[in-house]
Amino acid sequence: MSSALSTAKAALPRRLLIRYLSLPGAGNGLLIGAALLALRLWLARPFFQAGMLRVDHWPSQTFLFGEIHPLPGVDPLFAAIVTTSAELTLPVLLALGLFARPAALGLAVMAAMIYLVIGQTPQGMENGIAVASEQLPWVAAGLIIAAAGAGRLSLDRLLARRYGL
């Protein structure tokens, strides 16, 4: 019985990957694929740049999350680590089109949090953090990619073809 259980556990990641890769997408056309690639790169760029800026100015991150735009109930160091990690990892995944749906959804959630939570604090309003003309298009782009998939020009598509999907 333990052998069957370990075999089932080993097969779970593969089954999850196949289910993810078989989600319906926006189509396989080259034009749609190019448009989705452009949208992915457009969305990935500002978040990756923000992550690099955080790394370059790391000593100030806990101050920013503790004093400038604190998140209620969240340790400033934890917030800095999670935010920086997400701003560096999710854009790379999105640009490559590897697990692009969850990466795009993650960036959409981050943009919404910037606008709805951090930007609405007194410090956020004072520093102009919540700019609807920036965050709302980012939210929309993330939701479009999460719904449509990465498109033809992506590693998600390459993996789907490898699994015959």
Side-chain angles (χ1 to χ4, degrees), residues 29-96:
L30 188 57
L31 185 59
I32 289 177
L36 286 168
L37 173 61
L39 189 62
R40 290 188 345 247
L41 295 175
W42 175 82
L43 180 59
R45 185 173 185 236
F47 285 94
F48 187 77
Q49 287 175 330
M52 292 304 294
L53 190 61
R54 286 186 195 284
V55 170
D56 289 343
H57 298 88
W58 184 253
S60 65
Q61 293 310 303
T62 54
F63 172 76
L64 287 173
F65 281 103
E67 302 298 324
I68 303 299
H69 44 83
L71 297 172
V74 178
D75 177 64
L77 179 60
F78 179 75
I81 291 170
V82 169
T83 302
T84 304
S85 298
E87 285 179 333
L88 293 173
T89 305
L90 296 177
V92 170
L93 291 173
L94 185 61
L96 295 172

Side-chain angles (χ1 to χ4, degrees), residues 106-130:
L107 293 178
V109 168
M110 285 180 69
M113 291 291 290
I114 291 167
Y115 184 72
L116 297 171
V117 177
I118 296 170
Q120 303 308 315
T121 65
Q123 298 88 350
M125 288 181 194
E126 181 180 311
N127 294 313
I129 292 172

Side-chain angles (χ1 to χ4, degrees), residues 20 40 92-101 103 150 154-156 159:
Y20 168 75
R40 290 188 345 247
V92 170
L93 291 173
L94 185 61
L96 295 172
L98 180 62
F99 301 110
R101 290 175 194 254
S154 68
L155 290 178
D156 279 351
L159 282 171

